[in-house]
Amino acid sequence: MTSITAPGPKVPPLEGDLRPGTRLSGRQRLTRAALGRNPIGMIFGAPYALFIALLFAYPLFLAVWISFHSYFFAAPGVSVPRPFVGWANYTAVLTDPAVRQAFVNIGIFLVINVPLTVVLSLLLATALNAAIPFRTFFRTSYYVPYVTASVATIGVFLFILSPSGIFNHVLGPLAPVPSWLVNQNWAMPSVAIYVTWKSLGFFILLYLAALQNVPDELYEAARVDGASWWHRLRAVTIPGVRQVTTLVSLLAIITGANLFTEPYLLTAGGGPDGKSASPVLLIYQSGIEQNHPDFASALGVLLVIMVLLISAGVWLLQRRQA
């Protein structure tokens, strides 16, 4: 006996979708390609797009233009010649020993800060995601430094890392001489540890959000198989939050590339002898304090290119491992 299934109810097309058999004109195709299926979304997104264009895109293009000219700040309304100099500013940047030292400093910072940030934030988020006593208190405690003003927390670290501070009292004869922030070998690592501590709460929050999407069934299956905490971390947790690990790594790299406040306040402007100076700090010093915005713009463009290359490399590496 043959059974006949009645056709189901017809589902009307979604708003913005075409009815079957409808063809678009050339003008309609162009409009849809530019504005999407729902042009009203472009209207709501236009204010933010304008904000991005005015505060980010325009200054970036202006910096590129300045980097190819002999440029300096003049009084308002005064017209001064700013001739095109080609790659001269980039040559000056690449041959400047202070710039090379600043990029070495940032390399040291990233080598310390990025692994510490990823490992500590993941481990702490895993612990705070479990049913432990005072879990809400600990979550809040780790997030407080992130929302606290940098000037206040830097004041605390200046006291802790001073020659008569807590660290030196605990270490005794093992404490470095000269002390941490005035020591050529320990100044940049001290800055990296401070930044790791201050930003840890934000990255813990990202991992906590990612851990909510890891199915509990996977942990239960691992426990049934006799997997230890370490094996559950390697086989379930780390693969489940891989995308957030990429995000955390990229954000940590961008944070390190934009390092300014910490060396400016902790080490009195990049000391000792420029061992904790960052490229952004040099941009401020050369562009604002010394009135060489052309040099500073060339350094800024090179810094943007470096961050993009490193970020692309991290993204490709994580994508291959996925």
Side-chain angles (χ1 to χ4, degrees), residues 53 192 200 234 267 302:
L200 203 59
R234 290 181 55 189
T267 61
L302 292 177

Side-chain angles (χ1 to χ4, degrees), residues 9-149:
K10 294 183 178 180
V11 179
L14 298 175
E15 184 180 357
D17 288 346
L18 295 175
R19 295 185 179 276
T22 305
R23 292 186 177 182
L24 291 174
S25 64
R27 183 178 179 181
Q28 289 175 327
R29 285 196 298 268
L30 183 62
T31 303
R32 171 165 290 193
L35 303 179
R37 293 185 175 183
N38 296 300
I40 191 69
M42 296 295 295
I43 298 176
F44 288 108
Y48 186 70
L50 181 63
F51 171 80
I52 292 293
L54 292 178
L55 294 186
F56 292 96
Y58 173 73
L60 178 60
F61 286 114
L62 180 60
V64 173
W65 185 88
I66 291 175
S67 68
F68 287 102
H69 293 76
S70 177
Y71 194 99
F72 60 92
F73 296 120
V78 177
S79 178
V80 294
R82 296 185 172 100
F84 177 80
V85 295
W87 299 98
N89 291 320
Y90 290 93
T91 303
V93 167
L94 294 175
T95 56
D96 192 328
V99 172
R100 292 199 295 268
Q101 182 62 52
F103 278 103
V104 170
N105 296 339
I106 287 299
I108 296 173
F109 176 90
L110 294 178
V111 167
I112 298 173
N113 174 258
V114 175
L116 270 181
T117 298
V118 172
V119 173
L120 291 179
S121 56
L122 176 58
L123 292 178
L124 290 173
T126 303
L128 294 175
N129 193 51
I132 59 174
F134 307 106
R135 180 172 62 177
T136 304
F137 169 76
F138 285 116
R139 288 181 176 181
T140 306
S141 300
Y142 282 113
Y143 196 71
V144 165
Y146 178 74
V147 297
T148 305

Side-chain angles (χ1 to χ4, degrees), residues 52-287:
I52 292 293
L54 292 178
L55 294 186
F56 292 96
Y58 173 73
L60 178 60
F61 286 114
L62 180 60
V64 173
W65 185 88
I66 291 175
S67 68
F68 287 102
H69 293 76
S70 177
Y71 194 99
F72 60 92
F73 296 120
V78 177
S79 178
V80 294
R82 296 185 172 100
F84 177 80
V85 295
W87 299 98
N89 291 320
Y90 290 93
T91 303
V93 167
L94 294 175
T95 56
D96 192 328
V99 172
R100 292 199 295 268
Q101 182 62 52
F103 278 103
V104 170
N105 296 339
I106 287 299
I108 296 173
F109 176 90
L110 294 178
V111 167
I112 298 173
N113 174 258
V114 175
L116 270 181
T117 298
V118 172
V119 173
L120 291 179
S121 56
L122 176 58
L123 292 178
L124 290 173
T126 303
L128 294 175
N129 193 51
I132 59 174
F134 307 106
R135 180 172 62 177
T136 304
F137 169 76
F138 285 116
R139 288 181 176 181
T140 306
S141 300
Y142 282 113
Y143 196 71
V144 165
Y146 178 74
V147 297
T148 305
S150 295
V151 175
T153 55
I154 283 175
V156 174
F157 261 72
L158 284 173
F159 171 74
I160 293 175
L161 298 176
S162 65
S164 58
I166 298 174
F167 275 16
N168 287 354
H169 277 297
V170 172
L171 293 175
L174 298 178
V177 179
S179 191
W180 305 90
L181 297 175
V182 293
N183 190 300
Q184 292 188 0
N185 297 323
W186 284 102
M188 202 62 193
S190 300
V191 173
I193 292 173
Y194 164 78
V195 174
T196 303
W197 168 81
K198 187 172 190 312
S199 60
L200 203 59
F202 173 70
F203 297 117
I204 290 175
L205 189 65
L206 293 180
Y207 272 120
L208 279 173
L211 288 172
Q212 307 304 313
N213 296 323
V214 180
D216 292 334
E217 292 80 5
L218 297 178
Y219 290 105
E220 293 296 334
R223 290 190 185 96
V224 171
D225 291 339
S228 63
W229 176 87
W230 171 247
H231 288 92
R232 292 197 301 271
L233 178 69
R234 290 181 55 189
V236 180
T237 304
I238 293 178
V241 297
R242 181 172 283 119
Q243 291 183 345
V244 175
T245 300
T246 303
L247 176 63
V248 170
S249 301
L250 292 177
L251 291 177
I253 290 171
I254 294 172
T255 299
N258 289 281
L259 199 65
F260 172 77
T261 305
E262 292 78 8
Y264 184 75
L265 296 178
L266 276 174
T267 61
D273 297 330
K275 294 297 183 179
S276 65
S278 65
V280 175
L281 181 59
L282 292 185
I283 290 173
Y284 167 77
Q285 291 173 341
S286 60

